[in-house]
PDB file of all heavy atoms in Angstrom:
ATOM      1  N   VAL A   1     131.859  97.626 217.691  1.00  0.00           N
ATOM      2  CA  VAL A   1     131.099  96.697 218.521  1.00  0.00           C
ATOM      3  C   VAL A   1     130.960  95.348 217.813  1.00  0.00           C
ATOM      4  O   VAL A   1     131.051  94.285 218.437  1.00  0.00           O
ATOM      5  CB  VAL A   1     129.717  97.289 218.871  1.00  0.00           C
ATOM      6  CG1 VAL A   1     128.849  96.275 219.612  1.00  0.00           C
ATOM      7  CG2 VAL A   1     129.885  98.551 219.717  1.00  0.00           C
ATOM      8  N   ARG A   2     130.792  95.389 216.500  1.00  0.00           N
ATOM      9  CA  ARG A   2     130.724  94.140 215.717  1.00  0.00           C
ATOM     10  C   ARG A   2     132.063  93.425 215.741  1.00  0.00           C
ATOM     11  O   ARG A   2     132.122  92.193 215.918  1.00  0.00           O
ATOM     12  CB  ARG A   2     130.312  94.450 214.282  1.00  0.00           C
ATOM     13  CG  ARG A   2     130.148  93.192 213.408  1.00  0.00           C
ATOM     14  CD  ARG A   2     129.698  93.519 212.001  1.00  0.00           C
ATOM     15  NE  ARG A   2     128.366  94.106 211.973  1.00  0.00           N
ATOM     16  CZ  ARG A   2     128.115  95.373 211.697  1.00  0.00           C
ATOM     17  NH1 ARG A   2     129.128  96.220 211.411  1.00  0.00           N
ATOM     18  NH2 ARG A   2     126.882  95.823 211.687  1.00  0.00           N
ATOM     19  N   ALA A   3     133.158  94.178 215.584  1.00  0.00           N
ATOM     20  CA  ALA A   3     134.485  93.569 215.615  1.00  0.00           C
ATOM     21  C   ALA A   3     134.787  92.949 216.976  1.00  0.00           C
ATOM     22  O   ALA A   3     135.488  91.937 217.066  1.00  0.00           O
ATOM     23  CB  ALA A   3     135.547  94.620 215.271  1.00  0.00           C
ATOM     24  N   ALA A   4     134.239  93.546 218.029  1.00  0.00           N
ATOM     25  CA  ALA A   4     134.442  93.016 219.374  1.00  0.00           C
ATOM     26  C   ALA A   4     133.715  91.692 219.582  1.00  0.00           C
ATOM     27  O   ALA A   4     134.079  90.919 220.479  1.00  0.00           O
ATOM     28  CB  ALA A   4     133.960  94.038 220.408  1.00  0.00           C
ATOM     29  N   GLY A   5     132.698  91.432 218.782  1.00  0.00           N
ATOM     30  CA  GLY A   5     131.914  90.214 218.970  1.00  0.00           C
ATOM     31  C   GLY A   5     131.068  90.244 220.221  1.00  0.00           C
ATOM     32  O   GLY A   5     130.724  89.195 220.778  1.00  0.00           O
ATOM     33  N   LEU A   6     130.717  91.465 220.665  1.00  0.00           N
ATOM     34  CA  LEU A   6     129.934  91.613 221.896  1.00  0.00           C
ATOM     35  C   LEU A   6     128.543  91.015 221.716  1.00  0.00           C
ATOM     36  O   LEU A   6     127.815  91.361 220.795  1.00  0.00           O
ATOM     37  CB  LEU A   6     129.824  93.090 222.272  1.00  0.00           C
ATOM     38  CG  LEU A   6     129.011  93.419 223.526  1.00  0.00           C
ATOM     39  CD1 LEU A   6     129.643  92.833 224.786  1.00  0.00           C
ATOM     40  CD2 LEU A   6     128.851  94.937 223.670  1.00  0.00           C
ATOM     41  N   ARG A   7     128.194  90.116 222.629  1.00  0.00           N
ATOM     42  CA  ARG A   7     126.867  89.517 222.645  1.00  0.00           C
ATOM     43  C   ARG A   7     126.136  89.936 223.908  1.00  0.00           C
ATOM     44  O   ARG A   7     126.750  90.186 224.939  1.00  0.00           O
ATOM     45  CB  ARG A   7     126.969  87.988 222.556  1.00  0.00           C
ATOM     46  CG  ARG A   7     127.581  87.499 221.258  1.00  0.00           C
ATOM     47  CD  ARG A   7     127.841  86.011 221.244  1.00  0.00           C
ATOM     48  NE  ARG A   7     126.612  85.222 221.293  1.00  0.00           N
ATOM     49  CZ  ARG A   7     126.563  83.903 221.045  1.00  0.00           C
ATOM     50  NH1 ARG A   7     127.663  83.266 220.693  1.00  0.00           N
ATOM     51  NH2 ARG A   7     125.423  83.248 221.118  1.00  0.00           N
ATOM     52  N   GLY A   8     124.820  90.031 223.797  1.00  0.00           N
ATOM     53  CA  GLY A   8     124.015  90.472 224.931  1.00  0.00           C
ATOM     54  C   GLY A   8     124.263  89.638 226.170  1.00  0.00           C
ATOM     55  O   GLY A   8     124.251  88.402 226.118  1.00  0.00           O
ATOM     56  N   ARG A   9     124.482  90.317 227.287  1.00  0.00           N
ATOM     57  CA  ARG A   9     124.812  89.645 228.539  1.00  0.00           C
ATOM     58  C   ARG A   9     123.599  89.427 229.429  1.00  0.00           C
ATOM     59  O   ARG A   9     123.762  89.042 230.585  1.00  0.00           O
ATOM     60  CB  ARG A   9     125.865  90.460 229.298  1.00  0.00           C
ATOM     61  CG  ARG A   9     127.205  90.649 228.583  1.00  0.00           C
ATOM     62  CD  ARG A   9     127.853  89.323 228.252  1.00  0.00           C
ATOM     63  NE  ARG A   9     129.316  89.437 228.084  1.00  0.00           N
ATOM     64  CZ  ARG A   9     129.962  89.246 226.988  1.00  0.00           C
ATOM     65  NH1 ARG A   9     129.284  88.922 225.900  1.00  0.00           N
ATOM     66  NH2 ARG A   9     131.280  89.345 226.940  1.00  0.00           N
ATOM     67  N   GLY A  10     122.412  89.647 228.903  1.00  0.00           N
ATOM     68  CA  GLY A  10     121.213  89.459 229.705  1.00  0.00           C
ATOM     69  C   GLY A  10     120.677  88.048 229.714  1.00  0.00           C
ATOM     70  O   GLY A  10     119.743  87.737 230.444  1.00  0.00           O
ATOM     71  N   GLY A  11     121.256  87.163 228.885  1.00  0.00           N
ATOM     72  CA  GLY A  11     120.810  85.774 228.864  1.00  0.00           C
ATOM     73  C   GLY A  11     120.685  85.191 227.469  1.00  0.00           C
ATOM     74  O   GLY A  11     121.028  84.044 227.234  1.00  0.00           O
ATOM     75  N   ALA A  12     120.199  85.989 226.511  1.00  0.00           N
ATOM     76  CA  ALA A  12     119.975  85.472 225.165  1.00  0.00           C
ATOM     77  C   ALA A  12     121.261  85.360 224.355  1.00  0.00           C
ATOM     78  O   ALA A  12     121.364  84.538 223.441  1.00  0.00           O
ATOM     79  CB  ALA A  12     118.964  86.343 224.427  1.00  0.00           C
ATOM     80  N   GLY A  13     122.240  86.211 224.634  1.00  0.00           N
ATOM     81  CA  GLY A  13     123.499  86.172 223.912  1.00  0.00           C
ATOM     82  C   GLY A  13     123.400  86.626 222.469  1.00  0.00           C
ATOM     83  O   GLY A  13     124.188  86.211 221.621  1.00  0.00           O
ATOM     84  N   PHE A  14     122.439  87.518 222.171  1.00  0.00           N
ATOM     85  CA  PHE A  14     122.244  87.983 220.795  1.00  0.00           C
ATOM     86  C   PHE A  14     123.315  89.022 220.457  1.00  0.00           C
ATOM     87  O   PHE A  14     123.637  89.881 221.271  1.00  0.00           O
ATOM     88  CB  PHE A  14     120.850  88.585 220.641  1.00  0.00           C
ATOM     89  CG  PHE A  14     120.429  88.790 219.217  1.00  0.00           C
ATOM     90  CD1 PHE A  14     119.909  87.735 218.477  1.00  0.00           C
ATOM     91  CD2 PHE A  14     120.543  90.034 218.615  1.00  0.00           C
ATOM     92  CE1 PHE A  14     119.534  87.928 217.162  1.00  0.00           C
ATOM     93  CE2 PHE A  14     120.168  90.230 217.303  1.00  0.00           C
ATOM     94  CZ  PHE A  14     119.661  89.169 216.568  1.00  0.00           C
ATOM     95  N   PRO A  15     123.893  88.974 219.249  1.00  0.00           N
ATOM     96  CA  PRO A  15     124.930  89.947 218.874  1.00  0.00           C
ATOM     97  C   PRO A  15     124.446  91.392 219.005  1.00  0.00           C
ATOM     98  O   PRO A  15     123.440  91.774 218.401  1.00  0.00           O
ATOM     99  CB  PRO A  15     125.238  89.584 217.419  1.00  0.00           C
ATOM    100  CG  PRO A  15     124.871  88.137 217.303  1.00  0.00           C
ATOM    101  CD  PRO A  15     123.689  87.956 218.200  1.00  0.00           C
ATOM    102  N   THR A  16     125.166  92.190 219.769  1.00  0.00           N
ATOM    103  CA  THR A  16     124.733  93.547 220.089  1.00  0.00           C
ATOM    104  C   THR A  16     124.679  94.443 218.858  1.00  0.00           C
ATOM    105  O   THR A  16     123.733  95.216 218.682  1.00  0.00           O
ATOM    106  CB  THR A  16     125.664  94.155 221.152  1.00  0.00           C
ATOM    107  OG1 THR A  16     125.653  93.326 222.318  1.00  0.00           O
ATOM    108  CG2 THR A  16     125.228  95.562 221.531  1.00  0.00           C
ATOM    109  N   ALA A  17     125.681  94.361 218.002  1.00  0.00           N
ATOM    110  CA  ALA A  17     125.707  95.203 216.804  1.00  0.00           C
ATOM    111  C   ALA A  17     124.520  94.910 215.900  1.00  0.00           C
ATOM    112  O   ALA A  17     123.951  95.823 215.288  1.00  0.00           O
ATOM    113  CB  ALA A  17     127.022  95.003 216.047  1.00  0.00           C
ATOM    114  N   VAL A  18     124.146  93.646 215.804  1.00  0.00           N
ATOM    115  CA  VAL A  18     122.985  93.271 214.994  1.00  0.00           C
ATOM    116  C   VAL A  18     121.719  93.860 215.589  1.00  0.00           C
ATOM    117  O   VAL A  18     120.858  94.387 214.874  1.00  0.00           O
ATOM    118  CB  VAL A  18     122.873  91.736 214.873  1.00  0.00           C
ATOM    119  CG1 VAL A  18     121.601  91.350 214.117  1.00  0.00           C
ATOM    120  CG2 VAL A  18     124.098  91.162 214.162  1.00  0.00           C
ATOM    121  N   LYS A  19     121.580  93.778 216.903  1.00  0.00           N
ATOM    122  CA  LYS A  19     120.402  94.319 217.576  1.00  0.00           C
ATOM    123  C   LYS A  19     120.284  95.822 217.351  1.00  0.00           C
ATOM    124  O   LYS A  19     119.201  96.333 217.087  1.00  0.00           O
ATOM    125  CB  LYS A  19     120.468  94.006 219.072  1.00  0.00           C
ATOM    126  CG  LYS A  19     119.179  94.299 219.820  1.00  0.00           C
ATOM    127  CD  LYS A  19     119.243  93.766 221.253  1.00  0.00           C
ATOM    128  CE  LYS A  19     117.886  93.789 221.915  1.00  0.00           C
ATOM    129  NZ  LYS A  19     117.906  93.199 223.286  1.00  0.00           N
ATOM    130  N   TRP A  20     121.410  96.531 217.452  1.00  0.00           N
ATOM    131  CA  TRP A  20     121.386  97.967 217.204  1.00  0.00           C
ATOM    132  C   TRP A  20     120.952  98.266 215.773  1.00  0.00           C
ATOM    133  O   TRP A  20     120.314  99.285 215.500  1.00  0.00           O
ATOM    134  CB  TRP A  20     122.765  98.572 217.463  1.00  0.00           C
ATOM    135  CG  TRP A  20     123.168  98.624 218.905  1.00  0.00           C
ATOM    136  CD1 TRP A  20     122.460  98.137 219.977  1.00  0.00           C
ATOM    137  CD2 TRP A  20     124.356  99.168 219.452  1.00  0.00           C
ATOM    138  NE1 TRP A  20     123.140  98.351 221.143  1.00  0.00           N
ATOM    139  CE2 TRP A  20     124.320  98.992 220.844  1.00  0.00           C
ATOM    140  CE3 TRP A  20     125.474  99.805 218.884  1.00  0.00           C
ATOM    141  CZ2 TRP A  20     125.341  99.415 221.684  1.00  0.00           C
ATOM    142  CZ3 TRP A  20     126.499 100.240 219.717  1.00  0.00           C
ATOM    143  CH2 TRP A  20     126.417 100.041 221.108  1.00  0.00           C
ATOM    144  N   GLY A  21     121.301  97.380 214.861  1.00  0.00           N
ATOM    145  CA  GLY A  21     120.954  97.580 213.459  1.00  0.00           C
ATOM    146  C   GLY A  21     119.474  97.455 213.158  1.00  0.00           C
ATOM    147  O   GLY A  21     119.031  97.852 212.074  1.00  0.00           O
ATOM    148  N   PHE A  22     118.691  96.912 214.100  1.00  0.00           N
ATOM    149  CA  PHE A  22     117.251  96.780 213.900  1.00  0.00           C
ATOM    150  C   PHE A  22     116.516  98.110 214.042  1.00  0.00           C
ATOM    151  O   PHE A  22     115.374  98.240 213.598  1.00  0.00           O
ATOM    152  CB  PHE A  22     116.651  95.789 214.896  1.00  0.00           C
ATOM    153  CG  PHE A  22     117.062  94.355 214.683  1.00  0.00           C
ATOM    154  CD1 PHE A  22     117.091  93.463 215.743  1.00  0.00           C
ATOM    155  CD2 PHE A  22     117.436  93.902 213.436  1.00  0.00           C
ATOM    156  CE1 PHE A  22     117.475  92.141 215.560  1.00  0.00           C
ATOM    157  CE2 PHE A  22     117.816  92.583 213.235  1.00  0.00           C
ATOM    158  CZ  PHE A  22     117.834  91.708 214.304  1.00  0.00           C
ATOM    159  N   MET A  23     117.145  99.092 214.680  1.00  0.00           N
ATOM    160  CA  MET A  23     116.481 100.375 214.875  1.00  0.00           C
ATOM    161  C   MET A  23     116.326 101.102 213.549  1.00  0.00           C
ATOM    162  O   MET A  23     117.246 101.135 212.730  1.00  0.00           O
ATOM    163  CB  MET A  23     117.273 101.236 215.852  1.00  0.00           C
ATOM    164  CG  MET A  23     117.206 100.747 217.283  1.00  0.00           C
ATOM    165  SD  MET A  23     115.576 100.926 218.045  1.00  0.00           S
ATOM    166  CE  MET A  23     115.551 102.692 218.369  1.00  0.00           C
ATOM    167  N   PRO A  24     115.146 101.697 213.322  1.00  0.00           N
ATOM    168  CA  PRO A  24     114.934 102.429 212.063  1.00  0.00           C
ATOM    169  C   PRO A  24     115.879 103.620 211.945  1.00  0.00           C
ATOM    170  O   PRO A  24     116.153 104.302 212.926  1.00  0.00           O
ATOM    171  CB  PRO A  24     113.472 102.870 212.151  1.00  0.00           C
ATOM    172  CG  PRO A  24     113.131 102.842 213.610  1.00  0.00           C
ATOM    173  CD  PRO A  24     113.954 101.739 214.200  1.00  0.00           C
ATOM    174  N   LYS A  25     116.378 103.843 210.758  1.00  0.00           N
ATOM    175  CA  LYS A  25     117.353 104.906 210.533  1.00  0.00           C
ATOM    176  C   LYS A  25     116.723 106.294 210.481  1.00  0.00           C
ATOM    177  O   LYS A  25     117.332 107.279 210.837  1.00  0.00           O
ATOM    178  CB  LYS A  25     118.126 104.632 209.237  1.00  0.00           C
ATOM    179  CG  LYS A  25     118.944 103.336 209.261  1.00  0.00           C
ATOM    180  CD  LYS A  25     120.040 103.394 210.303  1.00  0.00           C
ATOM    181  CE  LYS A  25     120.962 102.176 210.208  1.00  0.00           C
ATOM    182  NZ  LYS A  25     120.284 100.945 210.682  1.00  0.00           N
ATOM    183  N   ALA A  26     115.504 106.390 210.006  1.00  0.00           N
ATOM    184  CA  ALA A  26     114.861 107.700 209.875  1.00  0.00           C
ATOM    185  C   ALA A  26     113.440 107.623 210.416  1.00  0.00           C
ATOM    186  O   ALA A  26     112.486 107.447 209.670  1.00  0.00           O
ATOM    187  CB  ALA A  26     114.863 108.151 208.414  1.00  0.00           C
ATOM    188  N   HIS A  27     113.318 107.733 211.720  1.00  0.00           N
ATOM    189  CA  HIS A  27     112.007 107.689 212.374  1.00  0.00           C
ATOM    190  C   HIS A  27     111.606 109.097 212.782  1.00  0.00           C
ATOM    191  O   HIS A  27     112.380 109.819 213.428  1.00  0.00           O
ATOM    192  CB  HIS A  27     112.059 106.770 213.592  1.00  0.00           C
ATOM    193  CG  HIS A  27     110.753 106.630 214.287  1.00  0.00           C
ATOM    194  ND1 HIS A  27     109.679 105.941 213.751  1.00  0.00           N
ATOM    195  CD2 HIS A  27     110.335 107.104 215.498  1.00  0.00           C
ATOM    196  CE1 HIS A  27     108.661 105.994 214.588  1.00  0.00           C
ATOM    197  NE2 HIS A  27     109.031 106.694 215.650  1.00  0.00           N
ATOM    198  N   ALA A  28     110.403 109.486 212.424  1.00  0.00           N
ATOM    199  CA  ALA A  28     109.957 110.866 212.662  1.00  0.00           C
ATOM    200  C   ALA A  28     109.720 111.157 214.137  1.00  0.00           C
ATOM    201  O   ALA A  28     109.884 112.287 214.593  1.00  0.00           O
ATOM    202  CB  ALA A  28     108.684 111.140 211.869  1.00  0.00           C
ATOM    203  N   GLY A  29     109.336 110.146 214.926  1.00  0.00           N
ATOM    204  CA  GLY A  29     109.011 110.364 216.332  1.00  0.00           C
ATOM    205  C   GLY A  29     110.171 110.051 217.264  1.00  0.00           C
ATOM    206  O   GLY A  29     111.314 109.876 216.851  1.00  0.00           O
ATOM    207  N   GLN A  30     109.866 109.971 218.539  1.00  0.00           N
ATOM    208  CA  GLN A  30     110.838 109.679 219.568  1.00  0.00           C
ATOM    209  C   GLN A  30     111.263 108.216 219.518  1.00  0.00           C
ATOM    210  O   GLN A  30     110.454 107.332 219.242  1.00  0.00           O
ATOM    211  CB  GLN A  30     110.247 109.997 220.952  1.00  0.00           C
ATOM    212  CG  GLN A  30     111.168 109.748 222.118  1.00  0.00           C
ATOM    213  CD  GLN A  30     112.353 110.698 222.122  1.00  0.00           C
ATOM    214  OE1 GLN A  30     112.209 111.896 222.206  1.00  0.00           O
ATOM    215  NE2 GLN A  30     113.551 110.130 222.041  1.00  0.00           N
ATOM    216  N   THR A  31     112.519 107.949 219.780  1.00  0.00           N
ATOM    217  CA  THR A  31     113.012 106.579 219.951  1.00  0.00           C
ATOM    218  C   THR A  31     113.666 106.473 221.328  1.00  0.00           C
ATOM    219  O   THR A  31     114.060 107.484 221.923  1.00  0.00           O
ATOM    220  CB  THR A  31     114.014 106.196 218.851  1.00  0.00           C
ATOM    221  OG1 THR A  31     115.080 107.166 218.817  1.00  0.00           O
ATOM    222  CG2 THR A  31     113.343 106.147 217.492  1.00  0.00           C
ATOM    223  N   TYR A  32     113.806 105.236 221.831  1.00  0.00           N
ATOM    224  CA  TYR A  32     114.269 105.050 223.201  1.00  0.00           C
ATOM    225  C   TYR A  32     115.347 103.970 223.290  1.00  0.00           C
ATOM    226  O   TYR A  32     115.345 102.988 222.542  1.00  0.00           O
ATOM    227  CB  TYR A  32     113.106 104.643 224.110  1.00  0.00           C
ATOM    228  CG  TYR A  32     112.005 105.685 224.218  1.00  0.00           C
ATOM    229  CD1 TYR A  32     110.844 105.570 223.450  1.00  0.00           C
ATOM    230  CD2 TYR A  32     112.126 106.760 225.078  1.00  0.00           C
ATOM    231  CE1 TYR A  32     109.829 106.505 223.549  1.00  0.00           C
ATOM    232  CE2 TYR A  32     111.113 107.709 225.185  1.00  0.00           C
ATOM    233  CZ  TYR A  32     109.967 107.574 224.417  1.00  0.00           C
ATOM    234  OH  TYR A  32     108.962 108.506 224.520  1.00  0.00           O
ATOM    235  N   LEU A  33     116.238 104.181 224.267  1.00  0.00           N
ATOM    236  CA  LEU A  33     117.204 103.167 224.677  1.00  0.00           C
ATOM    237  C   LEU A  33     116.928 102.841 226.136  1.00  0.00           C
ATOM    238  O   LEU A  33     116.870 103.738 226.978  1.00  0.00           O
ATOM    239  CB  LEU A  33     118.634 103.684 224.515  1.00  0.00           C
ATOM    240  CG  LEU A  33     119.753 102.776 225.071  1.00  0.00           C
ATOM    241  CD1 LEU A  33     119.804 101.452 224.327  1.00  0.00           C
ATOM    242  CD2 LEU A  33     121.105 103.488 225.010  1.00  0.00           C
ATOM    243  N   ILE A  34     116.763 101.562 226.428  1.00  0.00           N
ATOM    244  CA  ILE A  34     116.482 101.131 227.799  1.00  0.00           C
ATOM    245  C   ILE A  34     117.561 100.158 228.254  1.00  0.00           C
ATOM    246  O   ILE A  34     117.902  99.209 227.552  1.00  0.00           O
ATOM    247  CB  ILE A  34     115.096 100.470 227.905  1.00  0.00           C
ATOM    248  CG1 ILE A  34     113.998 101.492 227.571  1.00  0.00           C
ATOM    249  CG2 ILE A  34     114.871  99.904 229.301  1.00  0.00           C
ATOM    250  CD1 ILE A  34     112.607 100.898 227.514  1.00  0.00           C
TER     251      ILE A  34
END
């Protein structure tokens, strides 16, 4: 996804791979994708 250079298509154009990287790697509770 980083190699593709995919940027968010909702308006902000933020790099998608970077955004995914913000999610905690080891979270004890539930996490969500919307």
Side-chain angles (χ1 to χ4, degrees):
V1 174
R2 183 178 295 109
L6 179 64
R7 296 173 66 167
R9 299 302 203 246
F14 194 82
T16 302
V18 176
K19 191 171 192 177
W20 289 3
F22 292 153
M23 289 291 284
K25 298 296 187 288
H27 182 71
Q30 181 67 61
T31 55
Y32 298 99
L33 173 64
I34 296 174

